[in-house]
Amino acid sequence: MIQIYNTLTREKEVFQPIEEGKVRMYVCGPTVYNYIHIGNARSSMAFDTIRRYLEYRGYEVNYVSNFTDVDDKIIRAAKELGITAPEVADRFIHAFEEDTNVLNVKPATLHPRVMDHMPDILTFIQALIDKGYAYESQGDVYYRTRKFKGYGKLSHQSIDELEVGASQRTGVEKELKEDPLDFALWKGAKEGEISWDSPWGAGRPGWHIECSVMATKHLGDTIDIHGGGQDLEFPHHENEIAQSEAKTGQTFANYWMHNGFVTIGEDDEKMSKSLGNFVTVHELVKEVDPQVLRFFMATTQYRRPIRYSETTMKEAGVNLQKLKNAFENLSFRKSNAVVALDEDTQKLHELVELETRFTTEMDDDFNAANGITVVYEMAKWLNQYSEQEAVSALVIEKALEQFTQWLSIFGIFFLSEELLDDDIDQLIEERNQARANRDFARSDEIRDLLKDKGITLEDTAQGTRWRRSE
């Protein structure tokens, strides 16, 4: 039984989805104004690992992760680059897709964009105004924070503590608010900035309202899991709760999950663009095997900080190579495996025991660090078995299937010299998803990979067929 550490309660809780066998999961995506650094990418990889494990455990996961394509940073980038804000967003959404694809992050079930949801945003804000939770002020619309009785329950802060910080703020916006704690749902247009018409005048949405709208529109008023980086806990996720629950009268998310930071340097300083201490995925994968980066990031428990350095990356590379060697050793022995051995039952039982240990560790709040320890033990088991004088085809097939499944949870894929039918089907499924997302670069990459392995694809009206080349 899976247990999740819920930020809301600060406790591990048994996971009980709203609908049996299905998971509604929303993860805050990037603001697309630049290339993502590895701190940004950690959230994508951490929740991709969680999603993959849920699917491994038999759940159907409806995974929604947004693109914030309307923002002050995007507007500034547009001015600097001499292009429009939508063009900036399109450019860096494409860059995000390229970077996450090379890290084996599965595309979300849906990647909604703010610009496509303006009517929904306006309707949502108007509902909050009608209920007395929001008010218009000279073209802006603000949320009445004090009116929501549960404000602060996620970040575990009292309204008095929050008031002290808010009272120090100055500027024009403070003069427009009824209370310093109130936050913007709609911002009146400024000259030269992108804007949309609204009942309160031209403008654009505030940051927090976007996720409330897209999460409830695509997943329902109550969702199972809401995830994101630790830095989003307050105020972003706190404000999402206030807005959503005020509008719907329902619990917004049953489980709140937050991944830890990536730190850098001797002082373990948080990696961020504002501090200028970041390393982009776009540049790093030119020098480092993307699988090593994914392995480095995905095998730490998601709530724990990760210290990035050349040393830790090299260690990850060495460990990944050990797993690859074990995979290749057993794959090589397939050619001289026998149909059956007297010891098959015992060996298959040992595999079941390893699988039980793996799921026990991963069921404990997706503890990837402990889970990968079992994978290392599996690699040792594979090496010992492959060194035997006679090996069983049945045991090899089961062992490779189990080992491959486990590695895929962490976004790691090793391919045999001769691809298995399941490997081919999985790659074709990924190619179909890439084509559906109009990611033709990834689609072509998979087609070429299969071609190099002697697999010919035929796209037909009934779907994609494949055959091995003669």
Side-chain angles (χ1 to χ4, degrees), residues 28 207-209 211 232-241:
C28 288
W207 175 35
H208 311 301
I209 195 69
C211 287
L232 299 182
E233 183 181 326
F234 183 87
H236 185 52
H237 289 166
E238 195 75 69
N239 290 351
E240 281 189 60
I241 290 174

Side-chain angles (χ1 to χ4, degrees), residues 58-346:
Y59 290 99
E60 178 186 330
V61 182
N62 189 355
Y63 184 92
V64 177
S65 184
N66 71 299
F67 289 123
T68 294
D69 58 356
V70 182
D71 184 85
D72 290 338
K73 295 173 183 176
I74 295 173
I75 291 170
R76 284 197 297 269
K79 292 178 180 177
E80 292 169 2
L81 295 171
I83 57 179
T84 66
E87 286 172 333
V88 170
D90 288 343
R91 175 183 297 186
F92 290 109
I93 285 174
H94 180 66
F96 173 86
E97 291 170 342
E98 286 188 331
D99 289 342
T100 52
N101 278 336
V102 81
L103 295 173
N104 290 330
V105 174
K106 291 175 64 173
T109 310
L110 183 68
H111 279 294
R113 296 176 58 163
V114 179
M115 289 189 190
D116 297 332
H117 290 75
M118 285 301 161
D120 303 298
I121 290 171
L122 297 178
T123 299
F124 199 113
I125 294 174
Q126 187 61 56
L128 290 173
I129 292 174
D130 293 343
K131 290 189 170 190
Y133 282 96
Y135 59 94
E136 187 270 340
S137 179
Q138 298 183 38
D140 291 354
V141 180
Y142 294 97
Y143 184 91
R144 289 189 173 97
T145 301
R146 290 183 190 276
K147 186 174 176 62
F148 184 71
K149 301 304 181 184
Y151 196 81
K153 63 183 178 181
L154 180 67
S155 55
H156 290 243
Q157 300 182 75
S158 71
I159 203 79
D160 293 332
E161 290 172 330
L162 296 169
E163 183 177 18
V164 171
S167 64
Q168 307 301 316
R169 299 172 191 157
T170 58
V172 175
E173 189 180 59
K174 182 180 180 182
E175 302 302 318
L176 298 176
K177 296 179 180 181
E178 295 178 353
D179 188 302
L181 285 174
D182 297 347
F183 59 88
L185 303 175
W186 185 262
K187 300 179 179 181
K190 296 179 182 177
E191 186 175 353
E193 291 186 355
I194 188 170
S195 64
W196 288 261
D197 291 334
S198 83
W200 321 288
R204 56 190 171 88
W207 175 35
H208 311 301
I209 195 69
E210 302 165 0
C211 287
S212 287
V213 170
M214 289 185 281
T216 55
K217 177 180 175 65
H218 298 293
L219 294 173
D221 289 346
T222 301
I223 64 178
D224 292 302
I225 297 172
H226 195 311
Q230 184 180 334
D231 54 333
L232 299 182
E233 183 181 326
F234 183 87
H236 185 52
H237 289 166
E238 195 75 69
N239 290 351
E240 281 189 60
I241 290 174
Q243 297 162 160
S244 304
E245 296 187 359
K247 176 181 180 290
T248 68
Q250 306 294 320
T251 297
F252 179 37
N254 289 332
Y255 302 88
W256 286 87
M257 302 177 68
H258 295 90
N259 64 272
F261 295 134
V262 174
T263 65
I264 192 168
E266 294 182 0
D267 297 330
D268 284 335
E269 189 175 52
K270 174 197 168 187
M271 185 178 290
S272 71
K273 289 189 175 76
S274 62
L275 295 174
N277 61 356
F278 62 93
V279 180
T280 67
V281 173
H282 182 74
E283 293 300 323
L284 186 59
V285 296
K286 295 177 182 177
E287 304 172 2
V288 174
D289 182 347
Q291 289 238 90
V292 173
L293 177 57
R294 173 67 193 247
F295 185 74
F296 170 68
M297 290 286 195
T299 53
T300 297
Q301 206 271 351
Y302 74 94
R303 288 190 288 117
R304 308 299 178 205
I306 295 178
R307 185 176 187 181
Y308 170 80
S309 69
E310 289 186 11
T311 300
T312 52
M313 284 291 292
K314 287 178 181 177
E315 290 174 355
V318 170
N319 290 330
L320 182 60
Q321 187 61 48
K322 291 177 181 177
L323 298 179
K324 187 174 183 181
N325 291 342
F327 174 83
E328 290 178 343
N329 289 342
L330 201 61
S331 297
F332 177 76
R333 288 302 309 273
K334 283 175 60 180
S335 60
N336 61 358
V338 296
V339 175
L341 292 171
D342 291 339
E343 64 180 11
D344 281 5
T345 301
Q346 174 60 30

Side-chain angles (χ1 to χ4, degrees), residues 379-402:
K380 183 179 179 181
W381 187 97
L382 294 176
N383 287 331
Q384 291 173 342
Y385 188 67
S386 63
E387 290 171 359
Q388 292 185 7
E389 184 175 344
V391 293
S392 162
L394 176 64
V395 173
I396 285 183
E397 182 178 355
K398 177 60 179 176
L400 285 175
E401 178 187 6
Q402 190 164 307

Side-chain angles (χ1 to χ4, degrees), residues 23-68:
V23 179
R24 306 174 195 176
M25 186 173 181
Y26 185 90
V27 176
C28 288
T31 300
V32 284
Y33 70 99
N34 205 334
Y35 293 106
I36 57 170
H37 60 67
I38 60 174
N40 305 139
R42 193 205 174 169
S43 183
S44 296
M45 288 184 274
F47 286 101
D48 180 62
T49 299
I50 290 166
R51 171 197 186 175
R52 288 176 181 273
Y53 184 70
L54 288 168
E55 290 173 339
Y56 171 78
R57 296 289 270 135
Y59 290 99
E60 178 186 330
V61 182
N62 189 355
Y63 184 92
V64 177
S65 184
N66 71 299
F67 289 123
T68 294

Side-chain angles (χ1 to χ4, degrees), residues 337-453:
V338 296
V339 175
L341 292 171
D342 291 339
E343 64 180 11
D344 281 5
T345 301
Q346 174 60 30
K347 291 299 180 185
L348 292 172
H349 178 69
E350 290 172 9
L351 289 174
V352 170
E353 289 182 336
L354 283 168
E355 184 171 22
T356 299
R357 289 183 53 202
F358 178 76
T359 55
T360 297
E361 299 295 355
M362 291 296 290
D363 279 358
D364 183 14
D365 196 30
F366 310 98
N367 196 330
N370 288 353
I372 203 66
T373 298
V374 182
V375 178
Y376 290 140
E377 292 184 27
M378 173 70 153
K380 183 179 179 181
W381 187 97
L382 294 176
N383 287 331
Q384 291 173 342
Y385 188 67
S386 63
E387 290 171 359
Q388 292 185 7
E389 184 175 344
V391 293
S392 162
L394 176 64
V395 173
I396 285 183
E397 182 178 355
K398 177 60 179 176
L400 285 175
E401 178 187 6
Q402 190 164 307
F403 194 58
T404 300
Q405 280 185 330
W406 289 0
L407 288 170
S408 70
I409 291 168
F410 301 103
I412 302 300
F413 298 90
F414 301 140
L415 297 179
S416 308
E417 285 303 310
E418 181 180 351
L419 290 174
L420 302 174
D421 288 0
D422 286 347
D423 296 329
I424 297 169
D425 290 338
Q426 184 172 350
L427 285 167
I428 289 174
E429 181 181 350
E430 183 180 344
R431 178 173 177 263
N432 289 338
Q433 185 65 56
R435 294 174 74 190
N437 293 334
R438 303 187 65 78
D439 184 3
F440 299 117
R442 179 57 177 162
S443 171
D444 291 344
E445 182 183 352
I446 294 171
R447 180 200 61 205
D448 293 343
L449 183 152
L450 289 169
K451 183 178 179 181
D452 290 342
K453 295 291 184 180

